[in-house]
Amino acid sequence: MFFRKVALATLACASIAQAQNACNQKTTNIQSDGDVQKLASCSTVKGDIIVGEDVTQFQLAEVQGIEGDLVIEKATGLTSIDMPKVRFINGNFKLTGLTILNTLSAPQLGKVGSIEWVTLPALQSLTFTRTVTEADDVLISDTQLGSLEGLNLKTVGTFDINNNKQLRNVDLQLQNVTKALRIEFNKFGGKSVQVNLPNLETVQNATFRDAQSVSVPSLYRVDNSIAFVNNTFESLSLPNLTDVGESIAWVSNSKLTNISAPILEDVGGTFQIANNTKLTNVDGFPELKTVGGAVDMAGTFENATLSSLEDVRGGFNFQTTSKFDCAEFETLKDDQVIKGDDFVCAGDKDVAESKDGSTSTVGGKNGNGSGAAGLVVNGGLLVATFMAAVAFL
Ligand SMILES: *[C@@H]1O[C@H](CO)[C@@H](O)[C@H](O)[C@H]1NC(C)=O
Ligand SMILES: *[C@@H]1O[C@H](CO)[C@@H](O)[C@H](O)[C@H]1NC(C)=O
Ligand SMILES: *[C@@H]1O[C@H](CO)[C@@H](O)[C@H](O)[C@H]1NC(C)=O
Ligand SMILES: *[C@@H]1O[C@H](CO)[C@@H](O)[C@H](O)[C@H]1NC(C)=O
Ligand SMILES: *[C@@H]1O[C@H](CO)[C@@H](O)[C@H](O)[C@H]1NC(C)=O
Ligand SMILES: *[C@@H]1O[C@H](CO)[C@@H](O)[C@H](O)[C@H]1NC(C)=O
Ligand SMILES: *[C@@H]1O[C@H](CO)[C@@H](O)[C@H](O)[C@H]1NC(C)=O
Ligand SMILES: *[C@@H]1O[C@H](CO)[C@@H](O)[C@H](O)[C@H]1NC(C)=O
C-alpha cells in the first residue's frame, strides 16, 4: 500500500515535472501536432516556441503568456492559430509562409514584442477582441487582411504595412513612430488603401505610397524624412506640420491638385515636388522659411510661390512644362536667399526634370524615365532624394 502511494506520487511528480520542464525550456521545437500538446497546458511558456513545417493545428488552450518568441514558418498545412488565453508574447510574433492559414485568434492578446507577419495569403481578418496596444515593431506584408482592426498601438518603432492587396483601411490611434512608418503597395485592381492616423504627432521617417487618401491632421514633426509617392489622392494637407529634419517629397501622385502645409517653416534637407502631373498651382507653403538642402520642383506648374523663403542652403531647381514667370525665384537668387551655386528656373520645358533624375512629363511629352527606377525600389526615394541634396549643395 505504502509503496504503491509512493510510486503513484513519484509518477505524478514526474509528470508535473515533465510538464513544467516543457514550459520552462529555453526553446521548444514543435515538429508535429502532438508536440503542441506538450505546451498546451502550460500557464506561461518561459522561452521561445519554434513551430515547424508539418504542424497543421496550433492551439494553446491554457497558455496565458509566452516570454520568448513565437515563430511559425512555412507550415503550409496550418489553417488556424488559436490562443484563447494568451495575453502577451514578449518576443517576436513571427508568422511567415503560412499559405492556408485563415484564422488567427488571440482574443486576449494585448502586448507583443514585435509583429512580423509575412506571406499569409489566406488570412482575411484577425480575431482579437482585446486590442494589441504595445509592440516595438510591426511588419505586415502580403496578407489578405482588409483592415488592421485589433491593432491599436500608440507608440511603435517601425510600422511597415506593405503589399496587402485587400487592405482598404489603415485606421490607427498611433501617436509616435520612433523609427519608420511605411504604408506601401497595398492596392489591387484600382483599389487602394485609405490611411487615417488622427493622432499621429511625430515620426522619424514616413513613406506613403499607393494610398487613396492620407489623413494626418496632428502630425507636427518629422525627425528625418517624409515622402508621398504614387498616391491617388487629389489633395493632401499637413495642417499641423511645422518642421521636417531632412527631406520632404511628393513624387508621381498622378491626381494631386492641391498640397498644403500652412504652418511648415523648416525643412532640414531637400524640399521636392516632382512629377505630379496635375499639380498646376503651388501656393500651400505660406510659412516656409528655411530649406537646409535644395528646393527641387519639376512638373506642370502654372503658378508657384514660396513667399516666405529666407534661406535655402542648397541649390534651386524649378522646371515646368507650362509657361512660367520666374521673377519671384530669380529675386530669391539675386538676394542670396538661395545660397547653392546651382540655380535653374525654366518654363515651357518639353521635359521637366527633377534633380534626382526623375522626370515629369505631361501629355505626349514623354521622358524616358531613366530616373524612375530609383523611386520604385524600396526606400530608394529617400536615398535618391538625399543624394540629390548632397550632390546639389
Ligand atoms: C509622443 O511624443 C510626444 C512628444 O515627444 C510626447 O509628448 C507624447 O507623450 C508621446 N506619446 C506617447 C504615447 O508616447
Ligand atoms: C530614416 O531616414 C534616414 C535618411 O533620411 C536614414 O538615414 C535612416 O536610416 C532612416 N531610419 C529608419 C529607421 O528607417
Ligand atoms: C498641433 O500641434 C500642437 C503642438 O505643436 C498641438 O498642441 C495641437 O494639439 C496640434 N493640433 C492638432 C489638431 O493636432
Ligand atoms: C510620373 O508619374 C506617372 C504617374 O502619373 C508615372 O506613370 C510615371 O512613371 C512617372 N514618371 C517618372 C519618371 O517617375
Ligand atoms: C487646398 O487645400 C487646403 C487645405 O485642405 C484648402 O484650405 C484650400 O482651399 C485648397 N485649395 C484649393 C485651391 O482647393
Ligand atoms: C495663376 O495666376 C494667375 C495670375 O495671378 C491667375 O490668373 C491664374 O488663374 C492662376 N492659375 C492657376 C492655375 O491658379
Ligand atoms: C534616356 O535619357 C538619357 C538622358 O537624356 C539618355 O542618355 C538615354 O539614352 C535615354 N534612354 C532611352 C531609352 O531613351
Ligand atoms: C507608380 O505606379 C505605377 C503603376 O502601378 C508603376 O508602374 C510605377 O512604376 C509607379 N511609380 C513609382 C514612382 O513608384
Side-chain angles (χ1 to χ4, degrees), residues 187 209 229-230 252 375-376:
K187 64 166 179 183
R209 194 189 298 257
V229 183
N230 233 353
S252 301
L375 300 178
V376 183

Side-chain angles (χ1 to χ4, degrees), residues 217-218 220 240:
S218 309
Y220 68 87
N240 217 14

Side-chain angles (χ1 to χ4, degrees), residues 18 20 95 118 132 135 141 153 167 293 312 324 374:
Q18 200 181 10
Q20 279 178 346
L95 305 175
V118 177
V132 175
S141 174
L153 310 158
L167 192 61
V312 177
F324 191 79

Side-chain angles (χ1 to χ4, degrees), residues 200-214:
L200 183 67
E201 293 177 1
T202 66
V203 288
Q204 186 181 98
N205 289 337
T207 307
F208 299 92
R209 194 189 298 257
D210 296 317
Q212 197 181 315
S213 65
V214 173

Side-chain angles (χ1 to χ4, degrees), residues 330-361:
E330 276 158 1
T331 305
L332 292 177
K333 179 63 184 160
D334 293 343
D335 292 349
Q336 293 181 350
V337 166
I338 298 166
K339 305 193 173 54
D341 288 338
D342 291 316
F343 175 82
V344 173
C345 179
D348 255 333
K349 299 278 290 182
D350 282 347
V351 177
E353 267 182 85
S354 71
K355 261 342 252 190
D356 61 9
S358 77
T359 54
S360 273
T361 56

